[in-house]
Amino acid sequence: MSDETALLIADVLEAAGALRRLGEETAGAEGLTQARWQVLSVASEEPLTIPQAARRLGVSRQNIQRVANDLVSLGLAAYTPNPDHRSSPLLTVTPQGQESLARLTDRATKMHRSLFAGIPDEEIRATRASLRRLLTELDRHEGTPGKR
């Protein structure tokens, strides 16, 4: 591995950590955690079972179950009957959850605009294209081509 490759990996991991911390700070301003924000967001697209949400987010079913239960207890989400599978209810976002998610999305959008204001769009596009190529190679390496 070249020094540049090792440095790229270190930079990506450092950026991921910094973005996670920023996500926790952003979610915390609305009284949530980043994990709750992610589950709320994925369930807002369409009602999902816990296993479906876990696959979408790339984490364990148990982790999603715990977070989903927290969201339900906070009134931000609810379990609804699943017509396709009686023992696996669908996680849906409540109106209160939609409002909370909208506030979080607005807060994050403002933060991202500020954060990326000094980086030209061309650089963002080029960086994103490189990361997408890296993700494609990682999928190929993991034996899941076309996953992303």
Side-chain angles (χ1 to χ4, degrees):
M1 173 169 33
S2 73
D3 288 344
E4 287 302 313
T5 301
L7 291 170
L8 172 64
I9 292 168
D11 289 345
V12 167
L13 294 173
E14 183 178 353
L19 288 168
R20 269 192 301 279
R21 289 188 301 276
L22 182 61
E24 284 293 346
E25 179 184 319
T26 303
E30 293 295 332
L32 295 174
T33 64
Q34 185 170 357
R36 289 176 182 171
W37 180 11
Q38 289 173 340
V39 173
L40 198 60
S41 181
V42 76
S44 74
E45 294 172 16
E46 64 179 319
L48 297 171
T49 64
I50 297 302
Q52 288 170 329
R55 280 191 297 276
R56 291 275 306 275
L57 293 172
V59 296
S60 74
R61 185 197 61 74
Q62 295 83 355
N63 185 27
I64 296 299
Q65 185 70 65
R66 180 186 55 77
V67 174
N69 289 345
D70 291 346
L71 290 169
V72 169
S73 71
L74 292 169
L76 301 175
Y79 292 115
T80 59
N82 181 349
D84 296 327
H85 198 287
R86 283 186 218 182
S87 64
S88 189
L90 296 171
L91 182 67
T92 60
V93 178
T94 65
Q96 181 183 348
Q98 291 288 358
E99 291 171 14
S100 182
L101 184 59
R103 285 191 307 272
L104 259 170
T105 301
D106 184 55
R107 184 180 295 276
T109 298
K110 289 174 183 171
M111 176 63 70
H112 294 156
R113 282 188 186 129
S114 172
L115 181 65
F116 288 94
I119 304 173
D121 284 346
E122 311 83 62
E123 286 185 39
I124 292 171
R125 276 191 291 278
T127 301
R128 192 163 174 263
S130 294
L131 286 173
R132 298 305 302 169
R133 286 177 54 202
L134 173 59
L135 289 167
T136 298
E137 288 303 310
L138 287 167
D139 288 345
R140 190 177 61 74
H141 176 76
E142 292 174 346
T144 56
K147 179 179 170 186
R148 296 181 208 279

